[in-house]
Amino acid sequence: MPSPILTHSYCADFYAEHGYQFLKKLSQEYELPNNLVIFSVMHCYEGSLPYINVLAELADKLIFIPKDATVGANPELLATIKKIPRCHVVSTHNNKAHLKNIEYCEMFIRQHITPDTPFLILDHGGYFSSSITHICQAFKEQCIGITELTANGLQKYINKSISKPLITVSHLSIKTPADFEASECIVHYSDQILREEFGLKINNSGFLKTGVIGAGNLGRGVIKHLKAKGITNIHVTDIDPRKLTQFPRDGIQTCSSKYLVEHCNMLFCCTGNQSITPEMIDALSQPMFISTVTSADDELHLPDLLQQGVLTEVKTNRLTKEYKTRNGHSVYLFAGGESANTPFKTGMGDPTLYLFEAAHMLAGLKLIKDATQFKPGIQSLCEDDEIMIAERWLRHFYHYQ
């Protein structure tokens, strides 16, 4: 077997090889069918290369579906991924929109399998959610099951009729370190975008008033890293008031979403599901800078806003998209409305990403080994598996005894 392609542009990276070996050892404990096809949705990050290599070695064919946020930003990296044996890259833009179409989704799957091919879907962000009921029916004998990585992706599967098992790893405690790492990246790169595009620093309290919508792992992480940059006047809101009770003792202002949008002009949207409503946008009285932790589709329902004329696109470049409200105020979406770290190299040098990749992969491996141990519909990876991954990760990266 040829050597795995673990790096793209870095001269050396200790964690790429180390991460590959961690995931590889975990996968070798499972015996897989020779003709297995894996459909995997994931970001086109350099840090994803070890994981992609392991998945490609597991499957007869890996269908790599880059998330829309990074497919256009990294064409050179896509070319590198295409060199991985048995990895077939779906490089079409608007992959999410295409897969929402049931007829397209069925055709897409059929072009990569034969009538006797078993396949597994490793989803990230609910790309297959709109078509999942039909997939389970059309491929009743071939679809082994589905796994979902993220909380906002899982939300899209809820209330769908799913006759195959769907294992989620979105709420595992071992995903928390990676969420905090992502929060740090998002704050850091939002600051970088402000500097490069607008000549501003994120802690410019004379011009920027900062608000965080959503108090989950990512929202709390954003607040932590904003405070580390010396920002003290932070507002936070959440649909669940219980999550807000922890903040007043730390000097964080709690408020409603409406009040936050009215009084803050640098927003971090951390909910995964419509942080800001059209009515809030219509009521804006100043320019607004927005950084999302997922995508503008999820956080703002951007396609609907554009279709309804609530926002009109004005300018765009690699780092920012500018829109105008109906009242003529500018709304600037960092990274085009995707997570603010997507235009940059992220995920390297920190092994926390291998925790959730291991969980996502293990969920799929357990489905392949014996899908009958799972019931149809949504369920979580079991606690014992989560503990096992954590222990092995600590041992592999930090010599845990």
Side-chain angles (χ1 to χ4, degrees):
M1 182 177 292
S3 299
I5 303 170
L6 302 180
T7 59
H8 168 64
S9 59
Y10 287 83
C11 295
D13 179 39
F14 169 75
Y15 278 124
E17 175 64 29
H18 221 44
Y20 169 79
Q21 292 299 334
F22 170 67
L23 296 169
K24 183 69 176 174
K25 287 176 186 175
L26 187 63
S27 71
Q28 287 175 332
E29 299 176 14
Y30 291 82
E31 187 174 340
L32 307 179
N34 294 327
N35 58 342
L36 175 69
V37 172
I38 297 176
F39 294 89
S40 177
V41 179
M42 71 181 84
H43 278 300
C44 186
Y45 288 150
E46 183 152 351
S48 304
L49 281 171
Y51 183 52
I52 297 170
N53 273 270
V54 172
L55 291 183
E57 291 168 8
L58 288 172
D60 180 59
K61 188 160 56 173
L62 172 67
I63 311 303
F64 173 72
I65 305 166
K67 286 178 69 68
D68 292 345
T70 49
V71 64
N74 298 291
E76 298 86 2
L77 180 55
L78 275 177
T80 297
I81 294 171
K82 288 178 181 178
K83 296 176 184 176
I84 297 173
R86 298 199 293 273
C87 182
H88 301 255
V89 177
V90 180
S91 55
T92 307
H93 289 273
N94 299 316
N95 286 325
K96 184 191 293 186
H98 290 319
L99 291 172
K100 284 181 179 179
N101 182 286
I102 293 175
E103 290 77 16
Y104 172 88
C105 194
E106 179 179 348
M107 177 194 69
F108 169 74
I109 292 173
R110 289 195 186 282
Q111 72 184 31
H112 292 292
I113 66 172
T114 62
D116 62 345
T117 303
F119 69 86
L120 175 71
I121 297 174
L122 303 182
D123 205 352
H124 181 167
Y127 272 47
F128 285 88
S129 59
S130 297
S131 303
I132 194 60
T133 300
H134 181 71
I135 290 170
C136 292
Q137 295 171 347
F139 302 99
K140 186 176 180 180
E141 304 301 323
Q142 293 174 274
C143 179
I144 298 168
I146 312 98
T147 70
E148 171 55 53
L149 182 65
T150 64
N152 69 299
L154 177 64
Q155 191 67 33
K156 297 170 187 176
Y157 280 104
I158 292 175
N159 298 325
K160 296 288 196 313
S161 176
I162 307 173
S163 58
K164 295 289 182 178
L166 186 154
I167 304 179
T168 173
V169 299
S170 61
H171 294 93
L172 299 183
S173 62
I174 58 172
K175 196 168 178 290
T176 302
D179 285 340
F180 275 87
E181 166 69 11
S183 301
E184 181 183 23
C185 287
I186 289 161
V187 171
H188 174 75
Y189 289 121
S190 295
D191 189 17
Q192 184 168 338
I193 291 170
L194 280 168
R195 290 168 186 257
E196 291 197 18
E197 294 289 288
F198 304 98
L200 287 168
K201 292 173 65 176
I202 200 167
N203 58 3
N204 185 332
S205 59
F207 188 81
L208 296 176
K209 306 299 179 187
T210 304
V212 178
I213 305 177
N217 285 345
L218 286 162
R220 293 196 305 273
V222 165
I223 290 172
K224 172 187 174 183
H225 296 297
L226 287 171
K227 291 179 70 176
K229 287 186 174 289
I231 302 171
T232 55
N233 186 20
I234 302 171
H235 288 71
V236 60
T237 188
D238 194 279
I239 194 171
D240 184 350
R242 294 173 297 177
K243 293 183 180 179
L244 299 178
T245 57
Q246 63 188 291
F247 295 108
R249 65 185 177 87
D250 293 325
I252 307 298
Q253 304 289 323
T254 58
C255 58
S256 67
S257 298
K258 182 175 181 293
Y259 181 93
L260 187 147
V261 174
E262 287 174 352
H263 289 82
C264 299
N265 60 353
M266 175 68 244
L267 301 187
F268 288 87
C269 296
C270 311
T271 69
N273 186 26
Q274 198 170 25
S275 301
I276 305 172
T277 65
E279 292 75 21
M280 294 176 187
I281 294 173
D282 281 335
L284 290 179
S285 59
Q286 60 182 328
M288 182 71 72
F289 303 91
I290 297 178
S291 182
T292 72
V293 302
T294 54
S295 72
D297 287 3
D298 297 327
E299 294 288 357
L300 308 178
H301 293 188
L302 183 60
D304 294 338
L305 296 179
L306 295 173
Q307 185 178 14
Q308 296 164 13
V310 177
L311 289 177
T312 303
E313 186 172 344
V314 179
K315 297 176 184 176
T316 184
N317 62 27
R318 189 175 70 94
L319 298 180
T320 310
K321 279 188 178 180
E322 180 184 359
Y323 298 84
K324 290 288 187 184
T325 70
R326 284 190 273 227
N327 293 322
H329 296 291
S330 292
V331 173
Y332 301 97
L333 298 187
F334 293 174
E338 301 297 338
S339 180
N341 56 341
T342 55
F344 304 94
K345 296 172 182 175
T346 58
M348 303 299 281
D350 183 277
T352 55
L353 81 161
Y354 300 119
L355 279 166
F356 66 78
E357 288 178 345
H360 202 204
M361 180 182 71
L362 181 64
L365 290 171
K366 293 182 79 70
L367 279 171
I368 295 167
K369 181 181 179 181
D370 182 15
T372 61
Q373 67 179 303
F374 300 98
K375 64 182 185 295
I378 298 170
Q379 55 233 276
S380 294
L381 192 68
C382 77
E383 186 177 15
D384 287 345
D385 288 327
E386 184 180 9
I387 292 170
M388 178 271 291
I389 291 170
E391 185 176 339
R392 291 193 182 189
W393 181 85
L394 288 167
R395 194 181 303 137
H396 186 84
F397 289 100
Y398 295 106
H399 312 293
Y400 173 74
Q401 299 296 326

